[in-house]
């Protein structure tokens, strides 16, 4: 009787089948079977594992890194799991920081600046029955004070809000999401510890949830997004999601409504910025999740086949594949550019009974409307919005290639992002390819070559002016004084005085400042020298 009671507490049935399905059976797979190449393991991850083991703790490389190693890939990130508590881990490393509330983990930092590397260390967690957890009525934000003293808490829907109860390795494995992410690798003796046949699933190219998928999605709805991300990442290797794992996804996606918007926003960026954006869109469509995860992600999927957004997604995947940095501001600026461009044109033309606006203020107002309608109130919006605004506001200035404007533009902090944005516009035919090539060369040229490029633009403008001068014109009234006729013929045209005309019209303000009201141009006497240089001085002043 007592044995049955203990077995029930441990989740075992009389035959032990239930216990086996929950915690699995420990298998230690040797190197000659798993065939992991030790050279693919990051030295800093090895150092963390060795330091913990020498201090008397268990420690393993864990999760996606083990999966990638089994597949012969070099992991980009390495996580470590141990039976040491966060405080014990922190005490062993000079630069280690405890982070998180929902899951307390330790970041061990190596190096500084952009070259720094973070090894994430988590403590083995116990497999807890949510029925025995403390319950709160609200979510992570509304119940922040109440959750502060709790180690294991769930909300009314069963979503886990706190999970900081430590336990043995077999329970830690059971609470992980997918079998191929629940393996542990010890680089010292080169064994893989596997409780849920993760190696077999990796060999069969199957993505399978541990336990009942619907229950696991209810515990943490963000697992829905992780399922999409992993299926997209592994699709190129031939992986397919198990039918039972995929079946509850659409119905369970309703649970995402209770997840904080800031967390959903971060998860959306992971979907789009881990090098598999195009594959992610395909998986969302395949799984019937084209809408409902996050409003901004809905827009991405909707526009993924448009030439400009598709080019941006492909460019992001390429940069990640080449190990180059990517910024969410750039990709989101590309996704929402159609809204900005259409709103900008609408204000300039004065559609729907609106009063026409000068180009520059019209662009500012169009951007404000897009932020309010599409971005919403998410963590980090201030920096994100600022970067997106700069990218968009620089676009009209690329049309100005005289005077000091090109010099001041290339010195802007966001010039490279704005240029890459304009480069994509040129790739899809929205901007002249010649302009994109000119700016590419100007941005990397020395002072002598830059002067040649500016002179080239002036020569092109003079050529266009001569062509227009030779065009037939309406006959002037008979008897008009010759001096007045000559003055009219010599009046500077738009190309000769481009910068000052643009500033006065509000199209391009000097140095990116707010545009002044539209002014009437005065008739001026003809002047000698290149008109383009005078216009450039007006903008550069």
């Amino acid at each position: 009787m007592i044995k049955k009671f203990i077995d029930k507490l441990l989740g075992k049935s009389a035959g032990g089948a239930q216990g086996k399905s929950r915690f699995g059976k420990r298998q230690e797979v040797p190197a000659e079977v798993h065939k992991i190449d030790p050279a693919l393991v990051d030295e800093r991850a090895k150092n963390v594992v060795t330091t913990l083991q020498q201090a008397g703790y268990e420690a393993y490389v864990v999760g996606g890194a083990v999966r990638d190693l089994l597949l012969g890939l070099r992991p980009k990130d390495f996580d470590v799991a141990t039976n040491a508590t966060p405080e014990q881990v922190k005490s062993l490393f000079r630069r280690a920081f405890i982070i998180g509330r929902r899951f307390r983990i330790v970041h061990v930092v190596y190096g500084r600046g952009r070259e720094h590397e973070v090894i994430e260390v988590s403590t083995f967690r116990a497999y807890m029955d949510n029925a025995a957890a403390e319950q709160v009525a609200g979510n992570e934000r509304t119940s922040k004070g109440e959750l502060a003293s709790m180690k294991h808490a769930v909300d009314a829907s069963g979503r886990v809000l706190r999970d900081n109860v430590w336990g043995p390795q077999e329970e830690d494995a059971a609470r992980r999401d997918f079998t191929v992410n629940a393996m542990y690798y010890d680089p010292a003796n080169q064994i893989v510890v596997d409780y849920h046949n993760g190696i077999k699933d990796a060999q069969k190219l199957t993505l399978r949830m541990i336990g009942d998928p619907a229950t696991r999605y209810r515990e943490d709805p963000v697992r829905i997004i992780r399922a999409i991300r992993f299926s997209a990442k592994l699709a190129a290797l031939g992986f397919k999601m198990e039918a039972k794992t995929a079946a509850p996804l659409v119905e369970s996606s309703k649970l995402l409504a209770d997840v904080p918007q800031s967390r959903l926003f971060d998860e959306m960026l992971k979907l789009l910025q881990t090098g598999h954006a195009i594959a992610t869109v395909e998986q969302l469509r395949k799984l019937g999740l084209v809408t409902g995860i996050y409003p901004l992600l809905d827009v991405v999927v909707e526009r993924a086949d448009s030439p400009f957004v598709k080019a941006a997604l492909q460019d992001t995947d390429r940069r990640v594949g080449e190990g180059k940095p990517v910024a969410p501001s750039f990709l989101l600026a590309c996704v929402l550019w159609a809204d900005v461009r259409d709103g900008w044109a609408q204000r300039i033309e004065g559609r729907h009974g609106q009063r026409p606006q000068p180009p520059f203020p019209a662009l500012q107002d169009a951007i404000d409307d897009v932020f309010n309608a599409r971005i919403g109130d998410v963590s980090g919006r201030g920096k994100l919005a600022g970067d997106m605004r700069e990218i968009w506001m620089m676009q009209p200035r690329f049309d100005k290639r005289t005077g000091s404007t090109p010099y001041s533009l290339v010195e802007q902090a966001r010039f490279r992002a704005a240029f890459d944005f304009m480069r994509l516009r040129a790739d899809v035919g929205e901007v002249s390819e010649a302009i994109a090539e000119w700016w590419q060369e100007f941005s990397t040229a020395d002072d002598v070559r830059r002067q040649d490029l500016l002179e080239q633009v002036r020569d092109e403008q003079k050529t266009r002016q001569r062509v227009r001068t030779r065009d037939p014109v309406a006959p002037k009234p008979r008897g008009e004084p010759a001096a007045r006729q000559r003055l009219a013929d010599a009046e500077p045209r738009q190309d000769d005085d481009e910068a000052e005309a643009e500033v006065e019209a509000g199209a391009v303000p000097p140095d990116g400042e707010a545009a002044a009201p539209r002014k009437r141009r005065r008739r001026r006497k003809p002047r000698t020298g290149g008109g383009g240089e005078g216009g450039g001085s007006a903008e550069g002043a």
Side-chain angles (χ1 to χ4, degrees), residues 6-33:
I6 294 175
D7 288 343
K8 185 176 181 181
L9 288 177
L10 295 175
K12 296 179 180 180
S13 64
Q18 186 178 348
K20 181 178 179 180
S21 65
R22 170 171 290 186
F23 299 127
K25 180 181 179 182
R26 180 184 176 97
Q27 302 176 63
E28 293 189 0
V29 184
E32 57 268 22
V33 176

Side-chain angles (χ1 to χ4, degrees), residues 186 211 345 356:
D186 183 347

Side-chain angles (χ1 to χ4, degrees), residues 367-406:
I367 292 172
D368 289 340
D369 284 352
V370 169
F371 283 149
N372 292 331
R374 297 294 196 186
I375 299 297
D377 182 19
V378 296
S379 175
R381 176 187 169 182
K383 174 68 165 61
L384 179 80
D387 291 346
M388 293 171 67
R389 184 182 293 274
E390 286 190 59
I391 290 172
W392 286 329
M393 295 301 292
M394 284 188 195
Q395 297 310 301
R397 300 185 69 188
F398 284 112
D399 293 332
K400 176 66 176 64
R401 294 180 292 153
T402 58
S404 62
T405 298

Side-chain angles (χ1 to χ4, degrees), residues 252-291:
S252 300
S253 65
K254 300 173 184 177
L255 299 170
L256 291 168
D258 295 326
V259 177
Q261 292 292 293
S262 58
R263 190 177 178 207
L264 288 179
F265 184 79
D266 292 340
E267 291 295 332
M268 178 196 71
L269 294 183
K270 290 179 184 179
L271 285 177
L272 301 176
Q273 293 192 285
T274 52
H276 311 281
I278 294 293
T280 293
V281 171
E282 293 175 358
Q283 285 296 314
L284 287 167
R285 290 171 174 169
K286 179 180 178 181
L287 297 169
L289 292 167
V290 292
T291 60

Side-chain angles (χ1 to χ4, degrees), residues 93-142:
F93 300 93
R94 185 172 60 87
R95 297 181 65 205
F97 308 91
I98 298 175
I99 66 168
R101 290 186 296 270
R102 184 168 178 268
F103 298 115
R104 294 178 70 231
I105 58 177
V106 179
H107 279 180
V108 179
V109 182
Y110 291 85
R112 297 185 182 275
R114 291 186 176 182
E115 302 302 320
H116 81 285
E117 176 75 16
V118 174
I119 305 298
E120 189 172 285
V121 184
S122 62
T123 303
F124 295 151
R125 284 176 171 80
Y127 190 99
M128 299 295 291
D129 186 349
N130 288 346
E134 298 179 87
Q135 291 196 357
V136 296
N139 57 32
E140 291 167 81
R141 178 177 296 178
T142 61

Side-chain angles (χ1 to χ4, degrees), residues 66-117:
V66 183
R67 178 201 63 226
D68 289 348
L69 289 169
L70 284 169
L71 297 172
L73 306 176
R74 184 180 296 276
K76 293 183 179 179
D77 300 301
F78 283 84
D79 296 338
V80 170
T82 178
N83 62 347
T85 66
E87 290 77 14
Q88 290 169 334
V89 174
K90 185 178 186 301
S91 68
L92 295 174
F93 300 93
R94 185 172 60 87
R95 297 181 65 205
F97 308 91
I98 298 175
I99 66 168
R101 290 186 296 270
R102 184 168 178 268
F103 298 115
R104 294 178 70 231
I105 58 177
V106 179
H107 279 180
V108 179
V109 182
Y110 291 85
R112 297 185 182 275
R114 291 186 176 182
E115 302 302 320
H116 81 285
E117 176 75 16

